[in-house]
Amino acid sequence: MTNAPMRRDAAHNRQRIVDVARQLVDDDLPLQLNDVARLAGVGVATVYRHFPTPEALMETVATPGLEALITHAQRALTEEDPWKALTGFLHVTLEAQLTDPSLTAVRAAPRRVLPRTEELTAMLDSLAGQLLERTSAAGAVRDVVTWDDLLPLMCGIAFAANVHADDQQTRLASGRRYLEVVLQGLHS
């Protein structure tokens, strides 16, 4: 069974919904589907038809960020220096988490509701794991650390930077400092 292409007006409404959701997320406001409908100028049923839950909408908002991180991880795997590749990827990941709240929300969620999000997060975790394994094989990182260890640490760094700073620049500076502490502990 194939899905028919979306009508132009339906695609336009869907994009308006996503744009409104993006703004709400960026403004640190909750994604309540009734509010999204009102702000997007569409009926509540239209929002629910496209996004049955706030989680589905949040995951849709996060998709471009996840795709960008995957692209960066793929490029990092082609770098010659494994340590530089890993640290560069982690710095980009942290900056993305601190500038796109949807990424942290999706990565910290206990489960994914959209198959595409599950696919993207699995791919991102696989690539990040490869980066870490490659760095470990080169002797540049302690063997006891896995991506399953590092992922919650990255979420924790983003959380700490967000909690302890009021503005974007301070959050980024704090997050970079916290990441450097973790990287010093990883480096062998």
Side-chain angles (χ1 to χ4, degrees):
M1 180 173 145
T2 59
N3 291 335
M6 197 179 297
R7 288 185 346 248
R8 178 184 247 158
D9 62 328
H12 177 72
N13 286 342
R14 184 182 191 283
Q15 188 58 53
R16 284 187 10 220
I17 293 164
V18 172
D19 291 344
V20 164
R22 169 88 268 166
Q23 190 59 55
L24 290 171
V25 169
D26 289 346
D27 292 343
D28 198 27
L29 296 170
L31 279 186
Q32 296 179 347
L33 298 183
N34 290 356
D35 291 343
V36 171
R38 181 179 49 76
L39 293 168
V42 299
V44 173
T46 299
V47 174
Y48 280 91
R49 188 170 28 261
H50 290 287
F51 305 100
T53 65
E55 293 81 12
L57 182 52
M58 180 68 81
E59 289 181 12
T60 301
V61 169
T63 294
L66 292 169
E67 291 170 341
L69 287 173
I70 288 168
T71 298
H72 187 79
Q74 290 167 331
R75 267 184 284 175
L77 281 169
T78 67
E79 286 189 36
E80 197 170 311
D81 181 336
W83 176 251
K84 183 179 175 187
L86 176 67
T87 59
F89 170 73
L90 293 177
H91 278 281
V92 167
T93 298
L94 177 64
E95 185 167 327
Q97 286 179 291
L98 292 175
T99 58
D100 182 352
S102 69
L103 289 174
T104 300
V106 168
R107 294 298 277 166
R111 64 183 179 81
R112 314 290 172 252
V113 297
L114 299 177
R116 177 69 176 148
T117 309
E118 186 61 43
E119 175 187 320
L120 291 172
T121 56
M123 184 182 300
L124 182 57
D125 288 340
S126 174
L127 292 167
Q130 290 173 48
L131 280 166
L132 184 59
E133 288 167 9
R134 184 171 159 242
T135 308
S136 181
V141 72
R142 300 175 194 280
D143 288 333
V144 296
V145 179
T146 67
W147 180 244
D148 288 338
D149 300 322
L150 202 48
L151 178 59
L153 286 174
M154 292 298 292
C155 288
I157 291 168
F159 177 79
N162 279 317
V163 167
H164 297 290
D166 292 331
D167 64 276
Q168 183 81 313
Q169 289 305 94
T170 306
R171 278 193 291 276
L172 287 168
S174 296
R176 289 180 188 118
R177 278 195 321 276
Y178 302 157
L179 179 57
E180 285 305 317
V181 170
V182 170
L183 291 175
Q184 288 175 16
L186 281 175
H187 203 269
S188 58

